[in-house]
Every structure is written in C-alpha cells, then in structure tokens.
Amino acid sequence: MNVHAPALAEVLPFDEQASAFAGDVIGNLSQYPKRLSPKYFYDAAGSELFEQITVLPEYYPTRTELGILRDRGDAIAALIPKGAALVEFGAGATTKVRLLLERCDVGAYVPVDISGDFLNAQADALRKDFPGLDVYPVAADFTAPFALPAEIDGMPKVGFFPGSTLGNFEPHEASAFLRSARAILGDGAQLIIGVDLEKDERVLYDAYNDSAGVTARFNLNVLVRINRELGGNFDLSAFTHRSIYNRDRHRIEMHLISRKAQSVRVLGHNFSFRPGESIHTESSYKYSLERFTALARAADWKVRESWTDKEAMFSVHALMASG
Ligand code: AVJ
C-alpha cells in the first residue's frame, strides 16, 4: 500500500527515503499480523543501541564472528586476489572489514549502505588509517539492485556481508539477495559471508532477551522513530518487548506486544490493537551448515571454504560465483 504524497507533505520534508519508510510502515501495520521491517531499526539511536547489543555478555554473534575473522583472517585474506574491489553490503562499524584490509592488498573498498552520513564518516576514517586505499562509498539500499562505481570496472570483485544480516531475510528473500549479489558482483566474483548457526535454544533466547534490557530498548526504538519521523503517537509504555525462538522455522522472532486495547495514529491512519496483539519487528534466521550450503547453491554460489568457531556458534563462508 502506498501513502499519498499530500498526506506526507503536511508532516515531513518529503524525500524518497522518508516516503519509502512511510509507505512500508502504513502498509505493514495495515496487515494482520502486524509487522515492521527490521531495516528501520537503524536510525542514529538504533545504531547506537545495536552497538551496545554487540558487547552484551549474552549476545555471542559479534564477538564470535570477530574471533573467526581474527583466527582465520590469513586464510580468508589469501582467497582475496591482489587488486580486488572489496564490496561490503550494509557497512556498519568498520571493525570487521579492517581485519581483512590489514591482511590483503585490495585495489578498492566499496561500502554500500542506506545511511549516507554514516558511510562518509566511515570512509574518511578508513582513508586515514589505510592511506592509499581507494574508498568509493555507495549510498543505496542493498536489498535492491544498485550500480557499482565505474572506478572498479575490471577489478576482480569480492563481496563482504558479515554480521549474519542474511538472517534478517525470509528464506526466499535470502535467496533473492544472494542472486542479486551474484548479478551485481558478476562472473568470477566471490562473497565472504557471516551466518549465525542453530544452537541450544536457551543460548538463542538469552541473546535476544538480555538482562540489561538493551534489546528491549532497541526493539521499542522503532516506535520512537515512527513517532518522530512520521508523526506517530505510539505510547511506549503500552508495548512490551518479546523475543521467542520459533523452532519449526529456525528463527528468533522479535515482537512488540500491546499491553492493552489501544488505537495508534500514524500519518492520518488509525491502527487498533487488541490486548496482547503483536507487531512482528524482526526475524533472525539461524542456519545449519547444510541449509546454508543449499541456499547458496540454489542462488548460483558454490561454497569454497567455511569456518566456524570451536563451538560452532557462528560461521563464515567464502563463496564463488557459479552458474
Ligand atoms: C544485525 C540482524 C544480525 O539478528 O542478531 C540483534 C540484529 N536484533 N538483537 C541479529 C539484532 C536483536 C542482528 N542482526
């Protein structure tokens, strides 16, 4: 469902990103069950909360993936051809890519992210620490097709997609993303990708229900953002954070549960909630090595090498374009 421009013009300096956000929110809250896309968690406050999540004792993915990139960094870097263009899908903190850049001789680094401001700050920091590295930031939503900068034409391409962001996609979207990355990077490309693994349910549960309540604030922040950017009137105290592991679908689900019967207005639309009704705000799929390999193959990638930590909590894969 699309929001009409005149309805938005009253509340917002109208631009494309705001309009996509508005359209998604109105459309997704109009459905049953209600949902919101996890890509909207990451405004400035949400990105800061996510950084806090990554260092929580219960949240194992970030530190485990960093451990793999450190311990196996030389083997991973050895797969990256000299002079390759390293294209990072969704560039957050630069900690992970630095582990690769320190170990290989790339021709260019291309961070792709929806948030342009963040990208430029990050590009400047990298240029300072890696003098001589050509950085070509691309401000784009990497879940849709985008063009690579002409400067990297002719360089071998290596994609980098850490953080198990793939887990946020529904299986059909994950497969579409892998295909689109394959098309964007082209023949002969590689993709280094971090994927969170299925494991003990208690460990999964705790990682998304931390005792300090940071994940709850992260989840609720999307309502704060709707209130601010779309003139919504969500009462934060009337919603509770809940994460559950859905075993049949191999995924953590985050929800915001309405504590009471209530009605909320966003951009002139009314949304009513029953007591206990949920907004499904995120799915975080957990893969087995077999299911990930099958997914990659179906999207014309071949698994060249895979690495996990000792306890097989998290995995990093080097894929090669096939087909
Ligand atoms: C950034 C999508 C990998 O799913 O673990 C962390 C986001 N959500 N805690 C994840 C998140 C709640 C995270 N990803």
Side-chain angles (χ1 to χ4, degrees):
M1 177 183 176
N2 272 315
V3 176
H4 300 294
L8 284 172
E10 296 162 22
V11 245
L12 285 178
F14 182 78
D15 74 15
E16 264 180 55
Q17 268 187 27
S19 139
F21 180 39
D24 278 1
V25 167
I26 303 300
N28 287 340
L29 291 181
S30 304
Q31 295 178 12
Y32 186 82
K34 293 179 172 65
R35 58 194 183 94
L36 287 170
S37 166
K39 72 180 170 195
Y40 297 119
F41 280 137
Y42 303 92
D43 64 351
S47 299
E48 170 54 31
L49 285 165
F50 180 67
E51 289 308 311
Q52 291 178 32
I53 288 175
T54 63
V55 293
L56 288 169
E58 296 98 332
Y59 193 75
Y60 63 86
T62 310
R63 78 174 65 86
T64 310
E65 183 180 37
L66 281 168
I68 298 170
L69 293 174
R70 262 188 216 107
D71 295 347
R72 310 296 193 160
D74 290 343
I76 299 168
L79 301 177
I80 302 176
K82 188 171 152 44
L86 189 62
V87 180
E88 182 165 0
F89 294 91
T94 56
T95 328
K96 291 170 191 169
V97 76
R98 281 165 187 269
L99 292 171
L100 297 183
L101 292 173
E102 280 160 7
R103 291 171 166 89
C104 57
D105 188 5
V106 303
Y109 170 58
V110 182
V112 183
D113 200 274
I114 195 162
S115 156
D117 292 349
F118 191 73
L119 260 180
N120 291 326
Q122 182 206 46
D124 287 343
L126 275 173
R127 285 188 190 105
K128 195 160 140 274
D129 294 343
F130 295 88
L133 175 68
D134 287 323
V135 184
Y136 304 110
V138 174
D141 177 351
F142 65 82
T143 62
F146 63 91
L148 290 175
E151 287 89 341
I152 68 168
D153 282 358
M155 296 182 189
K157 310 290 188 298
V158 180
F160 185 45
F161 193 41
S164 202
T165 306
L166 188 79
N168 268 176
F169 298 144
E170 294 301 315
H172 72 277
E173 295 169 336
S175 140
F177 166 79
L178 289 173
R179 276 180 182 284
S180 139
R182 164 79 182 74
I184 289 166
L185 295 170
D187 289 342
Q190 299 186 74
L191 178 64
I192 295 162
I193 183 169
V195 179
D196 197 12
L197 299 175
E198 267 186 311
K199 59 184 60 66
D200 183 85
E201 288 180 24
R202 185 76 218 180
V203 174
L204 286 172
Y205 182 88
D206 289 348
Y208 294 83
N209 289 285
D210 64 287
S211 58
V214 184
T215 307
R217 273 159 51 216
F218 174 72
N219 197 3
L220 283 160
N221 179 62
V222 73
L223 303 186
V224 178
R225 183 172 184 190
I226 292 171
N227 284 351
R228 187 185 55 243
E229 294 182 25
L230 305 178
N233 69 349
F234 276 102
D235 170 4
L236 296 206
S237 67
F239 287 86
T240 322
H241 160 78
R242 179 177 301 160
S243 290
I244 54 140
Y245 185 61
N246 183 331
R247 189 184 309 140
D248 295 337
R249 303 181 83 164
H250 315 279
R251 69 187 195 195
I252 284 281
E253 295 174 5
M254 290 216 305
H255 297 268
L256 289 167
I257 307 293
S258 176
R259 291 174 181 266
K260 57 179 191 192
Q262 57 182 317
S263 163
V264 176
R265 278 186 82 73
V266 181
L267 290 172
H269 296 247
N270 250 326
F271 301 101
S272 49
F273 290 83
R274 291 179 288 101
E277 185 175 345
S278 140
I279 309 173
H280 181 180
T281 52
E282 181 174 48
S283 291
S284 188
Y285 280 83
K286 307 304 170 189
Y287 285 89
S288 65
L289 292 172
E290 295 70 26
R291 276 190 294 112
F292 176 70
T293 302
L295 184 81
R297 272 175 180 285
D300 288 337
W301 290 99
K302 184 178 170 313
V303 179
R304 185 176 184 187
E305 238 177 293
S306 298
W307 301 271
T308 72
D309 55 297
K310 285 206 302 310
E311 287 157 304
M313 305 267 272
F314 199 93
S315 59
V316 174
H317 309 263
L319 310 182
M320 275 190 98
S322 67

